[in-house]
Amino acid sequence: MRMVDVIARKRDGGELSTAEINWFVTEFTAGSIPDYQAAALLMAIYLRGMNRRETVDLTLAMAHSGDQLDLHDVAPFVIDKHSSGGVGDKTTLVVQPIVAACGVPVGKMSGRGLGSSGGTLDKMESISGWSCSMDLAQFKRQLAEIGLVLSGQTAVLAPADGKLYALRDVTATVASAPLIAASIMSKKLAAGADAIVLDVKVGSGAFMPTVATARDLAQIMVDIGTDAGRKTVALISDMNQPLGSAVGNALEVKEAIETLQGGGPASFWAHCLDVSAHMLLLAGKADSLEAAQELAEKARADGRAFRKFRDMVEAQGGDVAQIDDPSLLPQARFVEPILAPRSGYIAALDTAAIGWAGVHLGAGRLVKTDRINYGVGFVLPCAVGDYVAFGDSLGTIHADDREQLEQAREEVLTAVTWSNEPVDPLPHIYETITA
Ligand code: URA
């Protein structure tokens, strides 16, 4: 097979055969296909799409590009969740310990920031010493001992995704439903969870702009999971405004800790409660969503969920003093309010622009080698539908550099659309997609 023929077929809107897809994934993972040809194929897929059969083939080829975990020797039933990516999305940090505290082992392979969206591993690495790299034996040991593991992409689990993910991030080929579906589901299948809750984001800060496109993505991921014998549910949730208030790595860890301790923004907690309840329901811990929510509420209220998070941080080498006192987490030098330039209702937020503003402050990467600045970001408690008076604070900017701070202020203010008329608040879940 010749890569140039595969690229040309997709460029011209053709369908790739199962053999071509398997060949591409095997050879690219082995390093025999150069990045420039793989990038050309990714762009052709981005522009031309893939049908259902091609998407399933790509997912399975990527899932089989490395080892397949079987965790049943240490846990009879393991659950996982995955978000399609958003701004301020620190849900994993809260829901995984809640579910683990309710007695359902959670083993998760998380990702790094992608484009304007943040990544769980980058957030967790703002805790000194915390590490996501571990071998299979350690993954299993921690799953058995604590019931909660948060690992990173490894060379042995879905390595094709590790290479393609990094290439997509820098070739403007992230927001493609077949590529997102294959990326997420290949990791989930390889990591061995028996049940998966997918949090598919929709809106101005998500890769899927409309509920219809998010629904298509959610449906194919649920079908792939179900066909592979995993119980799979997808929630289509709002990303037309940052999730919670904090955007930026250490700021988000702090907000997650506050939430685990009973505080945090109410809208963020509502989202965590829904995701946790769906995970507990799939795990058979409750027979209704309401009963599952009660279990999650209890695990937060009696401190078990917070302790589980703390145990996971400690097991993975993190400094628990920063968990007990989040003021010890990295902090930016300058913290300044963003003042409303007029009175009115917030009609819309360009959430991706807020995510990019965070990246420009140093909270994310513009090129693969960029180093993350953990302390910078925003705390934006304002939401669509809020009335704000001229000169009131919309939130705060956390920056290490004055010039970057002023640029971020400008970017956030430009991201706000105002209305003189009242505006309805946004829902947080639009639909639930089941098998
Ligand atoms: N999360 C992933 O793991 N992959 C994507 O492509 C998008 C979000």
Side-chain angles (χ1 to χ4, degrees):
M1 253 177 242
R2 291 190 320 156
M3 188 60 188
V4 70
D5 300 330
V6 175
I7 298 169
R9 187 175 350 280
K10 188 43 79 184
R11 177 201 63 198
D12 297 339
E15 205 179 303
L16 301 181
S17 67
T18 305
E20 283 170 326
I21 291 171
N22 286 340
W23 174 81
F24 163 67
V25 172
T26 307
E27 296 301 316
F28 178 63
T29 309
S32 317
I33 293 173
D35 273 7
Y36 58 83
Q37 283 191 313
L41 181 62
L42 290 174
M43 186 55 83
I45 294 172
Y46 179 92
L47 295 171
R48 293 297 197 163
M50 275 185 146
N51 65 24
R52 183 164 284 255
R53 199 265 313 147
E54 289 173 294
T55 308
V56 172
D57 284 347
L58 181 62
T59 310
L60 296 180
M62 288 167 62
H64 295 140
S65 64
D67 293 349
Q68 324 278 297
L69 282 194
D70 182 349
L71 303 169
H72 292 123
D73 53 334
V74 287
F77 187 93
V78 178
I79 194 151
D80 195 356
K81 64 87 55 179
H82 203 90
S83 159
S84 64
V87 177
D89 188 356
K90 69 237 27 126
T91 309
T92 291
L93 276 52
V94 176
V95 304
Q96 309 276 47
I98 286 179
V99 172
C102 292
V104 185
V106 183
K108 177 162 167 60
M109 188 161 63
S110 278
R112 300 197 176 276
L114 198 57
S116 61
S117 80
T120 299
L121 301 181
D122 295 331
K123 295 170 210 228
M124 288 299 294
E125 283 175 1
S126 54
I127 303 166
S128 306
W130 188 87
S131 167
C132 65
S133 63
M134 61 182 75
D135 59 18
L136 179 54
Q138 193 183 344
F139 189 101
K140 285 190 166 186
R141 197 168 49 246
Q142 193 175 318
L143 192 66
E145 283 170 5
I146 300 175
L148 178 58
V149 191
L150 201 50
S151 84
Q153 177 76 51
T154 69
V156 288
L157 283 184
D161 181 56
K163 292 186 76 179
L164 289 170
Y165 194 91
L167 200 52
R168 286 166 60 216
D169 191 24
V170 291
T171 55
T173 52
V174 172
S176 149
L179 295 178
I180 295 174
S183 165
I184 293 179
M185 292 310 292
S186 63
K187 284 192 286 263
K188 299 298 100 176
L189 298 186
D194 300 286
I196 305 154
V197 172
L198 300 163
D199 189 4
V200 179
K201 301 289 185 197
V202 60
S204 65
F207 300 126
M208 295 294 112
T210 62
V211 172
T213 52
R215 187 184 299 127
D216 288 346
L217 172 62
Q219 190 67 60
I220 190 155
M221 291 199 291
V222 168
D223 291 349
I224 291 170
T226 308
D227 287 350
R230 320 295 170 92
K231 291 181 173 184
T232 313
V233 166
L235 310 178
I236 299 185
S237 69
D238 186 72
M239 189 34 72
N240 284 297
Q241 59 194 0
L243 189 56
S245 302
V247 178
N249 301 291
L251 292 168
E252 292 190 44
V253 171
K254 185 165 177 276
E255 186 165 279
I257 292 171
E258 283 161 11
T259 305
L260 281 167
Q261 291 181 320
S267 59
F268 174 53
W269 172 238
H271 182 67
C272 293
L273 206 47
D274 272 342
V275 176
S276 311
H278 278 282
M279 291 172 78
L280 292 168
L281 205 54
L282 278 193
K285 282 282 166 183
D287 48 20
S288 71
L289 212 52
E290 293 70 31
Q293 283 183 342
E294 269 177 42
L295 292 178
E297 295 263 19
K298 204 157 174 281
R300 173 169 94 147
D302 63 18
R304 274 177 297 140
F306 172 71
R307 283 197 298 278
K308 196 57 92 176
F309 179 75
R310 194 180 183 284
D311 289 347
M312 179 270 288
V313 169
E314 192 166 33
Q316 294 185 219
D319 180 0
V320 285
Q322 291 179 321
I323 306 306
D324 297 335
D325 178 4
S327 72
L328 299 175
L329 286 164
Q331 300 210 22
R333 284 172 65 208
F334 307 112
V335 181
E336 289 211 354
I338 308 172
L339 302 181
R342 54 162 284 177
S343 298
Y345 295 90
I346 298 182
L349 292 168
D350 181 344
T351 309
I354 296 172
W356 282 117
V359 174
H360 299 151
L361 279 175
R365 296 176 192 83
L366 286 169
V367 292
K368 276 200 238 179
T369 46
D370 276 348
R371 278 171 67 94
I372 299 274
N373 183 337
Y374 294 109
V376 302
F378 306 101
V379 178
L380 298 172
C382 57
V384 169
D386 286 356
Y387 179 81
V388 185
F390 169 77
D392 278 358
S393 172
L394 292 167
T396 49
I397 309 176
H398 300 239
D400 270 344
D401 174 290
R402 282 250 156 238
E403 209 173 300
Q404 285 179 345
L405 187 147
E406 290 314 323
Q407 186 195 334
R409 187 196 308 281
E410 185 85 25
E411 287 177 78
V412 171
L413 287 175
T414 311
V416 183
T417 304
W418 295 91
S419 166
N420 293 326
E421 307 304 324
V423 173
D424 287 337
L426 293 165
H428 81 270
I429 303 270
Y430 292 95
E431 286 176 21
T432 303
I433 308 282
T434 52

